[in-house]
Amino acid sequence: MSLAPENTLPPLRTSTTDDPDVVAEQRADDYTSHAVPPTARVGRWQLTMSFWSLLSAMVWLFYGALAAGLYGTSAALTAIGVSVVVYSLINMLLAGWARRSGLNSTLLSRRMFGVVGASLTALLVAANTTYYAVFESSTLAVAFEHYTPGWDVRVWYAIVALVMLPLMLGGVQTWMARLNGVLLPLYLVGIVVAVVVAAVRFDGGGWLSFQGLVPPEARPMPGWLLSVILYMGIYLTMPTTVDFARFAKPEDDRFHKHVTFGWVFYVLLFAANGAAGIFLVRAAIPDRPAAETGVVEAIIATLGAAGLVLIVVSQARINSLNYYQASSNWERLIAGLTGRRLGRIPLVLATTAVVFLLMLTDVFSYLNRALTWQGVFLVSWVGIAVTHYALVPGDRASGPEFRALRLPRVTWGLAVWLVAAGTGIYCAEGPGVPALLAEGAPVVALVLSVVLYALAVKARPLAVSGRPDPRLEVEDAAATRAECHRCAKSYVVLEMDREPAAGDAPVCDGCAPATLARRR
């Protein structure tokens, strides 16, 4: 039953089939600014292979090698085990939430941070994945430079950016899964071969007993705990889980929770990659401190030219995800703030140009600081998202309210996020901060985000507008499409609203932010 008399509302022009124009447009854009309808969900292996492009990043090998280099192999392996458990549990929760709602990380954040505040989620994910694209592309360029010592590395920066570009245009609904499905076995076999060859060629027998370069008396807490905190710097996988899990089918829920986004994935991502990175670096280049390019050097020292092929395969896979996430989230950010939709493919081209320019700045020189800042913001986001899930049970089943015209521009949740992240950054960077707080900055941010958001929810319960709701005008809002008066395209009624400034005409959530932008 409608919240207002039906004769006062413009009628919904409904249908029970997909709009062909929407299907064609969103096949490239992957519903960047819309909820994913049931008919656009993809098969389990298509989604798994798309998301598992994350598996082959050199950064996962680097994290294992870095933790072991600083605090010892035993501490690093313990931290990897703890991280596998923590990441698996949180991402199982987030994957189920995204699957039920069909919402990406930005739309899911609107209820917590407001329509404008949620744009910070898009900015954070876009900036992070752009940065990782720079990092991964730079490692590939450094690998090529090893074989062309007379070439300026900037030449390889340009070559890598241009050659990789065609591989980055795919999406979850197109050929991203096929690309990564073909390359995954090559990567896995390559890593196994690299470890076996390193064991034969080098004396890596003492890798398990390595104690780390930071002496115990200089550690403000146990080495394994410091390594766990180090792994908290890559909570980027959690909003990324949301962005991919929204394409899951209900019947594949158990599979995705355990395999695609759960413990199977994290055993491979952290345990297999981390252990391989530790062994390769300790065996091939044991006299060098852990560095960003150390894993690349270790692989090339072990396999020679075949190692270069392995690195190319790994970078093609991970950068397909980096570019996909970066372009999608830049599009969400622009649409959320200006109401303009540029399309994902043009933004892939723009991201490529930005990646090349950032590579010229020597990304490795500011790696640790960038990881610290990004990690603190992401940890705070995760703390707030999990707290919201726990304290607002009405938002669990089908997802939170996300329609732009029904939510405030900003909420107290945004203030909590900024305070928690700002405090964490100060702990990490501020002068005179005790070592315990400085090293534990992500934990400080996590605790603050949980406690402050819980207080905010209890003190000021989240309110939603009670205006006429198209969802109440149809029998099945998830299966019925309605035409938007602005774009003249039909989307599922779950995301449709009525625009007060247009006489309560129906409007899709992709067009709704444009009306907010004009009123600012």
Side-chain angles (χ1 to χ4, degrees):
M1 187 175 183
S2 175
L3 293 177
E6 292 187 9
N7 58 6
T8 67
L9 298 173
L12 294 177
R13 299 182 61 181
T14 62
S15 65
T16 56
T17 58
D18 284 319
D19 184 330
D21 291 337
V22 170
V23 172
E25 178 184 69
Q26 298 304 326
R27 189 161 178 81
D29 278 359
D30 267 351
Y31 295 89
T32 296
S33 300
H34 298 273
V36 178
T39 51
R41 306 300 176 95
V42 300
R44 62 170 61 178
W45 288 111
Q46 184 175 348
L47 182 56
T48 300
M49 286 301 100
S50 295
F51 182 72
W52 276 25
S53 55
L54 263 176
L55 276 178
S56 60
M58 287 291 108
V59 73
W60 313 129
L61 283 79
F62 162 67
Y63 259 87
L66 177 62
L70 293 174
Y71 309 116
T73 302
S74 177
L77 293 177
T78 301
I80 287 172
V82 172
S83 298
V84 167
V85 173
V86 172
Y87 274 76
S88 298
L89 292 175
I90 295 176
N91 282 285
M92 287 172 66
L93 180 152
L94 293 176
W97 204 14
R99 192 271 304 163
R100 292 190 296 273
S101 66
L103 303 180
N104 59 49
S105 56
T106 303
L107 296 180
L108 199 71
S109 296
R110 281 183 177 176
R111 181 101 150 96
M112 296 175 271
F113 308 123
V115 178
V116 175
S119 296
L120 182 57
T121 302
L123 174 61
L124 183 64
V125 176
N128 271 258
T129 47
T130 299
Y131 167 76
Y132 277 115
V134 174
F135 173 79
E136 298 293 343
S137 298
S138 297
T139 60
L140 181 56
V142 168
F144 277 114
E145 186 191 26
H146 181 83
Y147 288 93
T148 56
W151 289 30
D152 190 317
V153 70
R154 290 173 293 186
V155 175
W156 280 117
Y157 288 160
I159 293 174
V160 167
L162 291 175
V163 171
M164 287 287 179
L165 178 59
L167 302 178
M168 308 309 157
L169 298 175
V172 174
Q173 298 180 91
T174 53
W175 47 268
M176 188 175 180
R178 291 195 291 274
L179 168 68
N180 289 292
V182 170
L183 296 180
L184 178 60
L186 297 178
Y187 173 75
L188 295 177
V189 170
I191 289 296
V192 171
V193 170
V195 170
V196 171
V197 172
V200 172
R201 290 187 58 187
F202 306 107
D203 180 18
W207 74 288
L208 279 172
S209 59
F210 182 68
Q211 297 299 306
L213 298 177
V214 179
E217 60 272 15
R219 303 172 187 175
M221 59 187 80
W224 70 269
L225 187 53
L226 287 167
S227 298
V228 168
I229 293 173
L230 181 68
Y231 269 86
M232 290 176 71
I234 40 183
Y235 270 25
L236 176 63
T237 63
M238 298 188 187
T240 300
T241 288
V242 173
D243 287 344
F244 279 78
R246 64 197 176 107
F247 284 99
K249 294 181 177 180
E251 59 266 30
D252 296 328
D253 188 56
R254 182 177 175 82
F255 175 86
H256 288 311
K257 282 185 176 180
H258 291 280
V259 178
T260 309
F261 307 107
W263 66 269
V264 174
F265 173 71
Y266 282 101
V267 165
L268 293 173
L269 188 77
F270 289 158
N273 277 325
I278 295 170
F279 181 79
L280 287 170
V281 170
R282 299 314 314 159
I285 51 173
D287 297 328
R288 303 186 195 177
E292 293 79 9
T293 57
V295 173
V296 171
E297 294 174 6
I299 290 175
I300 291 177
T302 301
L303 296 180
L308 181 61
V309 174
L310 173 60
I311 294 168
V312 170
V313 168
S314 77
Q315 301 315 290
R317 295 189 75 250
I318 184 58
N319 269 343
S320 68
L321 183 140
N322 284 332
Y323 277 73
Y324 173 81
Q325 279 290 83
S327 58
S328 295
N329 280 278
W330 286 126
E331 182 178 359
R332 291 172 201 161
L333 177 65
I334 294 169
L337 295 180
T338 69
R340 298 186 179 185
R341 292 176 289 176
L342 300 183
R344 195 176 65 80
I345 290 178
L347 286 169
V348 171
L349 301 176
T351 300
T352 301
V354 171
V355 166
F356 172 69
L357 293 175
L358 288 177
M359 281 195 287
L360 299 179
T361 67
D362 183 14
V363 65
F364 300 122
S365 65
Y366 53 87
L367 174 70
N368 289 333
R369 174 162 292 181
L371 287 175
T372 299
W373 286 50
Q374 294 168 3
V376 166
F377 267 99
L378 286 164
V379 164
S380 302
W381 183 90
V382 171
I384 292 171
V386 172
T387 304
H388 183 95
Y389 186 91
L391 297 183
V392 189
D395 285 355
R396 296 176 197 165
S398 58
E401 177 60 76
F402 66 94
R403 291 170 291 178
L405 299 181
R406 292 183 174 267
L407 295 171
R409 288 185 173 88
V410 296
T411 69
W412 284 103
L414 178 62
V416 168
W417 191 10
L418 295 176
V419 168
T423 303
I425 290 172
Y426 179 79
C427 287
E429 304 284 352
V433 175
L436 184 64
L437 292 178
E439 294 290 347
V443 178
V444 173
L446 179 61
V447 172
L448 275 179
S449 65
V450 171
V451 173
L452 294 180
Y453 189 75
L455 292 174
V457 169
K458 293 299 183 182
R460 297 180 65 88
L462 301 170
V464 176
S465 170
R467 295 183 302 97
D469 191 343
R471 293 179 182 178
L472 302 178
E473 300 172 36
V474 298
E475 290 186 5
D476 189 343
T480 307
R481 281 78 176 159
E483 183 178 295
C484 171
H485 83 98
R486 289 191 172 275
C487 64
K489 295 173 183 174
S490 296
Y491 293 92
V492 289
V493 176
L494 276 175
E495 74 164 74
M496 299 298 294
D497 206 349
R498 289 191 174 277
E499 184 180 343
D504 283 329
V507 63
C508 72
D509 198 67
C511 293
T515 68
L516 294 176
R518 280 193 294 271
R519 297 209 307 260
R520 285 172 202 150

